Amino acid sequence: MSADDLTYTLTAEADAPIAAVWAAWTEDEPYEAWSYSKAGSVSMDPTPNGRYTATVVTPDGQEFPITGRYIEVVEHELLLMGMDTPGGGEEVMRLDLVGLGEDRTRLTISQTCATKEEYDMAKEGSQMLLDSCLAYLAKA
């Protein structure tokens, strides 16, 4: 498989202003509210080389620590994030935001994975996050 075969892109539109979407992805309390994170486990420093941590709780109660760094940050436009992987590697995920006017925002998540298994897991996880974020923003 080529890298193109292992790259996914997910796009959605939120009925929320770009500042609210940005806050949902970069501030501890809003992120914790929608990201399946354990209460008190989220810490975010959305600056280049800033770190983030969270503990994700699955529906069956399993807990998974997530750690990583912000590679590139352009306020209200781009988050390029590296997620730490077992063995000392890093998976890179990109979030692009575009203001559509009238308090609507387009979110695009993309990632290139190393294997088909990683691709399937990452794409499913990103879709869950995107759906949960949209639901949170709709209630906010």
Side-chain angles (χ1 to χ4, degrees):
M1 296 186 96
S2 72
D4 288 342
D5 295 333
L6 296 175
T7 299
Y8 69 85
T9 300
L10 303 171
T11 302
E13 292 183 10
D15 287 319
I18 202 164
V21 177
W22 183 259
W25 281 87
T26 60
E27 296 178 13
D28 297 0
E29 191 174 309
Y31 186 84
E32 184 178 292
W34 64 266
S35 66
Y36 306 99
S37 294
K38 181 178 180 178
S41 73
V42 174
S43 175
M44 305 179 116
D45 177 13
T47 59
N49 289 316
R51 300 288 301 169
Y52 65 86
T53 62
T55 299
V56 174
V57 181
T58 65
D60 64 359
Q62 293 183 66
E63 296 184 5
F64 295 94
I66 305 294
T67 61
R69 69 185 178 104
Y70 294 93
I71 299 167
E72 186 176 351
V73 179
V74 180
E75 188 172 10
H76 297 173
E77 291 181 28
L78 168 69
L79 287 174
L80 190 62
M81 301 165 280
M83 184 170 64
D84 299 332
T85 60
E90 181 178 70
E91 290 286 333
V92 178
M93 184 181 89
R94 180 183 179 108
L95 171 68
D96 290 285
L97 302 178
V98 176
L100 302 175
E102 298 183 21
D103 289 338
R104 290 186 57 76
T105 304
R106 179 181 306 119
L107 299 83
T108 303
I109 296 175
S110 57
Q111 183 173 351
T112 300
C113 301
T115 67
K116 176 72 168 124
E117 181 181 16
E118 287 175 14
Y119 169 92
D120 291 340
M121 288 177 52
K123 185 176 180 183
E124 180 181 351
S126 292
Q127 186 65 62
M128 287 176 54
L129 284 176
L130 192 55
D131 292 345
S132 185
C133 183
L134 294 176
Y136 166 80
L137 291 166
K139 291 187 277 184

